Every structure is written in structure tokens, then in C-alpha cells.
Amino acid sequence: MPDVMSAEILLRERGLRVTPQRQSVLRLFLENAGQHWSADQVREKLLPNMPGLARGTTYKVLDELVRGNICEELPTPQGTAIYGLRLAPHHHFVCRACHRWFDVGVEGLDQLAMVGGPPDAVVDEVAVTFLGTCGDCG
Ligand SMILES: [Zn+2]
Ligand SMILES: [Zn+2]
């Protein structure tokens, strides 16, 4: 089972103890690269194989994966955070119709400069979100 292995290796690499819950959540994201889901969606997908998976546990595991720099947590206008794999920095395109998030690259990022903002602010990351309509919805 190569996917189980890579989830296990990744957890160890990021200094996280390997638990069945962490492995299952991470494997789900590794097997569905580029997908972004809410905690409830993650739980729904895992429930058939992990009937005892509690809602709180799902949130806890996702939070641990975010803090271990494996996953990203993205706030949405709907109020529910969604989660995705973030093994490398990337940006997003969000479809306004189906609310799906897609990982994208950005060209010309080095030309961006912040205008205004709090005095003496130090920028350490730029996250670009493109909004529009995906091909399925357009
Ligand atoms: Zn769409
Ligand atoms: Zn993403």
C-alpha cells in the first residue's frame, strides 16, 4: 500500500506521531490531490471505513495537519473553513457557482507590492485567490 506508506512517512517527516486517524485523513488528501474539503466532508468520506470517527476528532486531526505544514486551512465566505493538501506553496481559483477550490500557480507574483495597510507591517507570504466561474459551471 504505497499511499499508506507515504502518509506515514510524511507524518514522521513533519514530526507528527503516526496515528490511524492522521493516516486516514492524510491518505484521503494524498489520494485526491488538488481537492479541498470542509471537515464535515472529510468525515463523511472516511466514515464508511472509520465508523467511529467523531466530528471533534476530525477537526483536531485537520488542525494538527495544518500545524504540521501538511495541510492548509482556508476561510470561506460561507463561514466554514475548508482544508487541502499544502506540501508546496500555491494559490487558488474559487468557483463562485459550485464553491470548489482549485490549486493554481501565479505568474508575475514578484511584481506585486502591497499598498497601504498597517504601518511597519512585514509581509512574509502572498496568497492570491482568483474568483470566477469554472468550466463545469460556465
Ligand atoms: Zn464551478
Ligand atoms: Zn490548495
Side-chain angles (χ1 to χ4, degrees), residues 34-36 72 74 84-86 90-92 101-104:
Q35 294 284 353
H36 301 77
E72 58 187 353
L74 305 158
L85 201 58
R86 192 179 191 271
H90 60 260
H91 304 270
H92 294 98
W101 289 61
F102 301 82
D103 291 345
V104 299

Side-chain angles (χ1 to χ4, degrees), residues 80-99:
T80 328
I82 58 155
Y83 300 85
L85 201 58
R86 192 179 191 271
L87 299 178
H90 60 260
H91 304 270
H92 294 98
F93 169 82
V94 185
C95 175
R96 291 187 201 272
C98 64
H99 304 302

